[in-house]
Amino acid sequence: RQIHHPPHPTLQRKRPTRTKIINMRISWLATAALAASIGSVQVHSFQAFTSLSKPALLKSNNHHSSHQDTSSLYVSTSSSETETSTAATTTQVKLQHKPISLFGKGHAGASGTDAKHILGGKGANLAEMSSIGLSVPPGFTITTECCSAFCGGWDQELPDDIWQEVLRALTTIEDAMGCKYGSNENPLLLSVRSGAAISMPGMMDTVLNLGMNDAVCAGLAQKSGNPRFAWDSYRRFLEMFGNVVLEIPRSLFEDQIDDVKYEKGVFEDSELSVEDLQEVVRRFKGVYKESDLAFPEDVNEQLSLAIGAVFKGWMGDRAIKYREVENIRNLLGTAVNVQAMVFGNMGDTSGTGVCFTRDPNDGTNTLFGEFLINAQGEDVVAGIRTPKPISELETEMPEVYAEFKKNTDILENHYGDMQDIEFTIQEGKLFMLQTRNGKRGGEAAVKIAVDLVHENLATKEEALSKVLPEHLDQLLHPRFSDVESESYVKSVIAKGLPASPGAAVGRLAFTNEKVVENEKHSIPSILCRDETSPDDIEGMYASEGILTARGGMTSHAAVVARGWGRPCICGCTSINVDEEAGELTITLTDGTQRTLKEGDFISLNGNTGEVLVGEQMVSPPAITGNLKTFMEWVDEIRTIDVLANADTPGDAREARKNGANGIGLCRSEHMFFQPERISKVRQLILGDEAQQEDALEELLTYQRADYEGIFTEMDGLAVTIRLLDPPLHEFLPSLEDDDVLTALAEQLGSTVDQLKEQVKASEEVNPMLGLRGCRLGITKPAIIEMQTRAIIEASLNAMSSGVDVKADIMVPLVGKVEEFRNQAALIRSVAAKVFEERGKTCDFRIGTMIEIPRAALIAHEIAKEAEFFSFGSNDLTQMTFGYSRDDVGTFLPSYLSQGILLDDPFVTIDTEGVGQLIKMTVENGRKVNPSLKIGVCGEHGGDPRSVKFFSNEAGLTYVSCSPFRVPIARLAAAQAAVEKS
């Protein structure tokens, strides 16, 4: 291949080479995934621009959303597609779309259903803002398809074909701005930013003020008549280019500028004079030399390296981690947006800011944002300076504020959603740099969705898509119980900006690594930093909450925390973090100081910004107000029932409060684990015949009372009771627990040694495939007789109290239809005896769990006998994969990291294997019994992606999950219904 410039000297050094650093940043898993996606995919070559007078519109016969599989869009290169000449070898690039799209004045950019997928969210939105007439600095977008090729078939180099297109597109910016890139007299500077189809705030790289060198800086100073602005832009570029492109640690630059500020006796960067900034530039260049790197004076080389750095950032550790956490997949990569710089650092009539069109914390319909005078965008989002609230812009620049407010209304109406906007003011002129659907917390998401419908900006169906399952999860988390109490008020030691709502309690941790380590030991952590950076992503996700000394409401920490539902307090200026000493020093309101150590408990109130010492009490949430309204819409739209897994009357009460349509799984064995009950279960297993009968009588009393309580709580709704399922060894005492063994031996009239021998004799080699489920009922029918009697008698008792009982009895672990027949006959015979004894009858149904692959294969036979099916998806997954649920942790992390598995199959249903068994069971079962009720009661019933499969592809009647996940499953079911329709 012919590269458009020779390798830069930075790549030819004795220290670890740039190539090695790149290889470290790009995991082999990600590279392998890209390589696997590239192959014999037939694509069409692009045609070079034939005219620069019109935009390069994207045209494709295939339309893909960002959530669809897009492997067919990858680049294919083969030896037959290259041509060799005596001068050079040029890559004949094969792409489905033109590699570059223009935006800005006179260029509407690309549009269509796949514009966001190809141009990224930022590029597509810049094009749309241009098309609706907003003031957008001109630029061009290099497509996500090029990113895929760059990280794969192009070996992380821009082919000459693409580079020529970049230079050609650059001339359109020069023409629009009336400036020349690299000119010493009339210079044009550029920004180079990332932008994937799905927003990943702070996770990838940006380079501002590109095109600077000594000569350009002098020319910019003369042209602008503002030398301070020129030198300030130069020092910013040196730091950002060095860190993002050449991977020089940012701290090396920060140390130098901090030293200069200290020497000059100033606190803010904006207080540095021209001479001070010239000294900063000199020292920043020294950082390059000390790092064995040479700063590239060639502005074209700067542009090439910056584009490459943004593309490589897609495969950087923090971007990969973010995609894992957010479950972002099937994207080609990031686009690169090259745009003319507009400057917020040109003096007191310039500035920059970030603003949400509604409050992302509580959803209030008022502008929520911040700005800085005489600053650039990175100053706001990085938390380097504490910004001013957006409301003050109206006082400082009333005309600019009026235009900005008008633009926010236009954008929110255009997109039909709350927007997150970046803007710059250059000498009194407003420029819109970016808009995207804003990240928001759970409370805000629900309020915004409801308000948009009431304001006729969205339909109910559209509103559902604006609330994520994670948002409901946030709302269903506990909050501090009494913020007015004396103990609460006395515990407040500091207050910052309430950047992300909710309550968090945990131990202080000052490093990313400490939080991750704590999580491995189930220790809750509060990540406390001076300010967070994208490198803290893993610790932020693993933490309970985040506390920073610096930064505003739109800083990196705030945006990420809101998106993940982590309570966050930023800009807490009364705290000082000493990471090396492991100490947090708080200056109290009376001027005294208090020091906390790493590992001390603190609590964060993300709603108020209060930091509290110690562990505060929390209280459960309630479904009221906007959430109640929203969930009513959810229930109108969903087409599948959502039941709950509940084993006690308390669980049933919680399930009903959360909107469950019934109980899909009541596990008998969970009723036995209370101390007074488990001794009777052990007596049943290890006692003689008389002791067994005595144990059954007492267990009957317990079970009957429990079932009656559950029926009462679920009045009018179905309750599905699974008969005893687990291996008996789970109830046996540990041979190491002398106190329990002694008490049990006395209860059975035996010796401890004799009891130990009995326990050993009851152990199985493979208990999960041993005496359990229906096998237990067939070999020990007295247990099933007791359980059936308890269910029927409880039903009759509840009915006598006016309760509408709907009991379903479920036989577990059936693999042969004869097993089901045996147990069903036993159940019916016991029920008949009870009816005769009581002189009353009640309705009940007998069904089975489908959790053995053989049961799925003979579903048509079982359906002739059973009145309902319920998939035990946990066991079905275990037996289909051959993975032990108890031991999967020994290899699952490796499988996930190496791409052998994309998801934990015990969390998200395996649609390719287990899912096919489920679909086959449903199809064959309903051929025999078209009205067969079929649901799922494993952990997958609360997983949103699994719910979508069960609803839209498998055609189940219901899903069942834990009581606390019922609202999430309801929302997932409604969103699945909208998608299907």
Side-chain angles (χ1 to χ4, degrees):
R1 293 190 178 92
Q2 178 187 20
I3 309 304
H4 61 267
H5 59 76
H8 187 265
T10 57
L11 308 186
Q12 313 293 329
R13 57 183 180 176
K14 294 181 180 179
R15 298 179 64 188
T17 66
R18 173 70 177 160
T19 302
K20 290 181 180 177
I21 292 176
I22 291 170
N23 288 341
M24 291 165 60
R25 293 180 64 191
I26 300 179
S27 74
W28 72 268
L29 164 63
T31 306
L34 280 171
S37 299
I38 300 168
S40 56
V41 180
Q42 187 172 359
V43 293
H44 306 288
S45 62
F46 74 91
Q47 300 298 317
F49 292 166
T50 55
S51 170
L52 294 179
S53 62
K54 60 182 180 181
L57 298 179
L58 303 184
K59 295 183 179 179
S60 171
N61 295 325
N62 302 317
H63 299 294
H64 301 267
S65 74
S66 61
H67 298 287
Q68 291 176 312
D69 185 18
T70 56
S71 59
S72 63
L73 292 181
Y74 280 93
V75 176
S76 171
T77 58
S78 66
S79 58
S80 62
E81 294 166 344
T82 58
E83 296 177 1
T84 305
S85 68
T86 55
T89 301
T90 303
T91 302
Q92 299 300 304
V93 183
K94 300 293 182 180
L95 301 173
Q96 272 197 327
H97 302 84
K98 293 182 178 180
I100 290 175
S101 176
L102 310 178
F103 60 81
K105 186 176 181 180
H107 299 291
S111 61
T113 56
D114 58 351
K116 187 174 180 180
H117 177 69
I118 297 300
L119 300 182
K122 183 175 295 185
N125 289 341
L126 285 167
E128 283 204 53
M129 285 197 294
S130 299
S131 70
I132 60 178
L134 299 187
S135 181
V136 176
F140 59 89
T141 301
I142 308 174
T143 66
T144 59
E145 195 179 5
C146 290
C147 178
S148 171
F150 183 93
C151 295
W154 291 350
D155 295 332
Q156 299 185 12
E157 295 171 349
L158 287 178
D160 191 60
D161 314 57
I162 301 299
W163 178 245
Q164 294 305 317
E165 296 298 325
V166 168
L167 296 180
R168 195 183 296 251
L170 178 58
T171 63
T172 67
I173 303 179
E174 293 173 332
D175 292 344
M177 297 297 290
C179 306
K180 182 73 174 175
Y181 182 62
S183 168
N184 298 344
E185 298 176 355
N186 188 23
L188 168 70
L189 298 188
L190 301 172
S191 66
V192 178
R193 303 173 188 261
S194 62
I198 297 176
S199 176
M200 297 170 57
M203 294 305 108
M204 291 181 293
D205 295 317
T206 294
V207 181
L208 303 180
N209 305 303
L210 194 83
M212 288 291 274
N213 55 35
D214 291 349
V216 169
C217 181
L220 190 63
Q222 184 174 355
K223 176 188 174 184
S224 65
N226 187 343
R228 190 195 180 285
F229 147 70
W231 286 97
D232 183 51
S233 299
Y234 197 7
R235 67 93 182 171
R236 290 171 182 272
F237 173 63
L238 284 169
E239 177 178 351
M240 191 171 284
F241 188 88
N243 175 246
V244 171
V245 179
L246 301 182
E247 295 185 340
I248 301 172
R250 188 180 293 273
S251 60
L252 298 181
F253 295 106
E254 291 173 347
D255 289 345
Q256 294 299 328
I257 194 170
D258 285 346
D259 286 348
V260 173
K261 286 191 290 186
Y262 178 78
E263 293 164 11
K264 302 300 180 181
V266 300
F267 182 73
E268 298 282 0
D269 298 354
S270 57
E271 298 177 271
L272 294 171
S273 67
V274 174
E275 292 75 18
D276 298 338
L277 290 169
Q278 289 172 338
E279 175 62 18
V280 171
V281 167
R282 187 188 67 77
R283 296 193 187 187
F284 277 9
K285 287 183 177 180
V287 170
Y288 281 76
K289 291 179 181 177
E290 290 167 9
S291 302
D292 250 0
L293 294 164
F295 171 70
E297 295 280 345
D298 184 331
V299 295
N300 280 348
E301 187 172 14
Q302 293 175 13
L303 178 57
S304 170
L305 291 171
I307 291 170
V310 172
F311 277 153
K312 291 165 190 168
W314 176 254
M315 307 307 285
D317 290 341
R318 68 176 186 261
I320 290 173
K321 180 64 179 177
Y322 187 88
R323 292 198 296 275
E324 289 175 358
V325 168
E326 293 286 309
N327 195 35
I328 297 172
R329 59 181 63 176
N330 296 332
L331 300 185
L332 290 174
T334 180
V336 174
N337 299 287
V338 179
Q339 191 173 18
M341 279 293 299
V342 287
F343 301 97
N345 59 331
M346 291 188 71
D348 292 340
T349 60
S350 301
T352 187
V354 176
C355 184
F356 295 83
T357 55
R358 301 179 190 234
D359 190 321
N361 291 312
D362 62 20
T364 303
N365 190 2
T366 182
L367 292 183
F368 178 96
E370 297 165 323
F371 74 102
L372 283 169
I373 295 296
N374 195 23
Q376 289 195 344
E378 288 300 301
D379 297 344
V380 179
V381 297
I384 295 170
R385 289 165 55 188
T386 300
K388 300 178 180 180
I390 194 70
S391 56
E392 292 187 18
L393 183 62
E394 185 173 16
T395 303
E396 299 204 19
M397 299 182 186
E399 292 182 1
V400 170
Y401 180 83
E403 182 185 358
F404 178 72
K405 180 67 174 69
K406 180 181 177 182
N407 286 353
T408 63
D409 292 339
I410 291 172
L411 289 170
E412 192 169 276
N413 277 273
H414 181 77
Y415 288 102
D417 200 357
M418 183 259 278
Q419 294 297 292
D420 172 4
I421 298 166
E422 294 180 17
F423 64 94
T424 287
I425 306 158
Q426 179 176 307
E427 297 183 313
K429 180 172 175 57
L430 174 67
F431 291 92
M432 307 297 284
L433 302 185
Q434 173 175 292
T435 190
R436 59 189 175 195
N437 291 339
K439 300 284 185 182
R440 63 207 75 177
E443 182 181 353
V446 171
K447 177 172 172 52
I448 290 169
V450 172
D451 287 351
L452 289 174
V453 173
H454 291 158
E455 295 166 20
N456 295 319
L457 291 177
T459 65
K460 291 179 181 178
E461 289 77 9
E462 290 168 339
L464 292 188
S465 68
K466 303 183 191 309
V467 177
L468 303 175
E470 294 79 17
H471 289 142
L472 292 189
D473 199 25
Q474 295 167 27
L475 290 176
L476 298 174
H477 282 164
R479 300 189 178 194
F480 292 128
S481 52
D482 188 0
V483 296
E484 303 296 331
S485 69
E486 184 179 352
S487 62
Y488 178 94
V489 173
K490 284 185 176 179
S491 298
V492 176
I493 54 175
K495 190 167 185 179
L497 300 173
S500 182
V505 179
R507 295 186 182 273
L508 271 174
F510 299 114
T511 65
N512 186 53
E513 293 75 19
K514 183 63 176 177
V515 175
V516 174
E517 178 189 340
N518 282 351
E519 185 191 33
K520 292 178 181 176
H521 296 93
S522 300
I523 299 172
S525 300
I526 301 294
L527 177 62
C528 184
R529 307 278 280 160
D530 246 351
E531 60 191 7
T532 65
S533 74
D535 294 329
D536 295 319
I537 193 70
E538 193 171 8
M540 294 174 73
Y541 183 71
S543 71
E544 299 296 316
I546 301 158
L547 172 64
T548 68
R550 295 192 285 184
M553 303 286 274
T554 52
S555 65
H556 170 263
V559 172
V560 173
R562 275 195 296 270
W564 284 344
R566 300 295 187 274
C568 178
I569 297 173
C570 291
C572 190
T573 55
S574 63
I575 68 172
N576 180 64
V577 180
D578 189 335
E579 183 180 318
E580 289 186 10
E583 292 181 346
L584 173 67
T585 302
I586 305 102
T587 301
L588 305 177
T589 53
D590 62 2
T592 61
Q593 292 188 329
R594 179 167 183 173
T595 300
L596 299 177
K597 301 282 189 180
E598 189 163 63
D600 289 346
F601 268 106
I602 66 166
S603 302
L604 305 182
N605 188 334
N607 297 76
T608 63
E610 293 168 320
V611 182
L612 302 97
V613 67
E615 299 177 81
Q616 294 298 310
M617 293 295 293
V618 294
S619 58
I623 299 179
T624 58
N626 286 320
L627 181 56
K628 184 173 183 291
T629 299
F630 180 80
M631 294 310 296
E632 288 171 354
W633 297 347
V634 163
D635 292 337
E636 286 177 19
I637 294 168
R638 65 184 170 92
T639 58
I640 188 173
D641 284 339
V642 177
L643 282 62
N645 302 339
D647 310 315
T648 67
D651 289 345
R653 191 179 310 117
E654 187 69 30
R656 187 150 199 165
K657 185 180 77 175
N658 287 337
N661 300 117
I663 292 178
L665 177 63
C666 178
R667 292 156 288 204
S668 306
E669 62 274 7
H670 285 201
M671 299 175 174
F672 294 154
F673 286 112
Q674 296 175 28
E676 70 276 10
R677 300 186 183 191
I678 197 164
S679 66
K680 289 299 177 182
V681 177
R682 289 167 177 164
Q683 181 177 319
L684 174 65
I685 300 168
L686 301 170
D688 57 30
E689 187 174 342
Q691 291 170 333
Q692 289 178 6
E693 289 181 4
D694 174 69
L696 285 170
E697 279 298 320
E698 289 211 38
L699 291 173
L700 171 63
T701 303
Y702 292 137
Q703 291 241 286
R704 183 170 54 223
D706 287 339
Y707 292 141
E708 190 172 337
I710 291 173
F711 290 144
T712 301
E713 293 292 345
M714 302 307 292
D715 186 5
L717 299 177
V719 176
T720 306
I721 300 169
R722 182 182 71 187
L723 299 178
L724 195 61
D725 179 52
L728 291 184
H729 84 279
E730 291 190 7
F731 298 105
L732 297 178
S734 167
L735 294 176
E736 308 300 323
D737 196 334
D738 292 334
D739 291 341
V740 171
L741 289 170
T742 301
L744 184 58
E746 183 178 343
Q747 177 182 335
L748 298 176
S750 176
T751 67
V752 172
D753 288 339
Q754 288 173 331
L755 181 59
K756 285 184 176 180
E757 289 303 316
Q758 281 185 282
V759 171
K760 290 177 182 177
S762 300
E763 292 178 349
E764 296 180 288
V765 175
N766 193 343
M768 292 306 293
L769 298 178
L771 184 60
R772 56 172 290 217
C774 65
R775 302 161 202 160
L776 182 64
I778 291 170
T779 57
K780 294 183 181 292
I783 296 176
I784 303 306
E785 290 173 355
M786 179 275 292
Q787 289 198 288
T788 302
R789 177 173 286 274
I791 293 168
I792 300 301
E793 289 182 352
S795 298
L796 294 174
N797 291 346
M799 289 169 62
S800 298
S801 302
V803 176
D804 181 10
V805 176
K806 299 181 183 298
D808 288 344
I809 301 174
M810 187 157 63
V811 180
L813 221 68
V814 165
K816 284 179 65 68
V817 70
E818 290 81 3
E819 290 174 317
F820 180 80
R821 287 178 186 150
N822 175 288
Q823 294 291 278
L826 180 61
I827 293 166
R828 291 192 177 99
S829 68
V830 173
K833 288 179 184 177
V834 176
F835 293 157
E836 184 177 354
E837 294 166 2
R838 299 284 292 265
K840 296 178 182 179
T841 63
C842 64
D843 293 330
F844 64 92
R845 293 185 296 188
I846 305 174
T848 187
M849 292 188 80
I850 304 294
E851 48 194 333
I852 295 177
R854 192 179 193 280
L857 295 172
I858 62 164
H860 56 290
E861 294 293 334
I862 301 176
K864 295 175 184 177
E865 309 285 339
E867 295 174 271
F868 65 89
F869 285 171
S870 180
F871 290 101
S873 58
N874 299 338
D875 270 342
L876 187 59
T877 297
Q878 178 173 241
M879 296 190 192
T880 302
F881 272 100
Y883 295 166
S884 165
R885 275 186 292 165
D886 298 324
D887 303 308
V888 72
T890 60
F891 62 87
L892 185 61
S894 295
Y895 272 42
L896 292 171
S897 67
Q898 295 182 45
I900 295 171
L901 290 174
L902 294 179
D903 298 293
D904 182 341
F906 292 103
V907 174
T908 299
I909 198 73
D910 163 46
T911 58
E912 294 178 339
V914 179
Q916 294 309 304
L917 285 175
I918 290 174
K919 290 168 72 174
M920 180 180 68
T921 301
V922 173
E923 181 181 353
N924 292 339
R926 285 187 176 149
K927 282 180 181 177
V928 175
N929 182 356
S931 61
L932 188 66
K933 174 184 171 183
I934 307 178
V936 61
C937 60
E939 291 300 315
H940 302 94
D943 173 63
R945 283 189 290 149
S946 301
V947 170
K948 176 182 171 183
F949 168 78
F950 296 138
S951 176
N952 291 1
E953 296 184 49
L956 300 193
T957 313
Y958 69 88
V959 296
S960 187
C961 59
S962 75
F964 292 100
R965 290 194 68 80
V966 164
I968 295 171
R970 288 161 64 194
L971 174 60
Q975 290 175 334
V978 170
E979 183 175 326
K980 186 175 182 179
S981 65

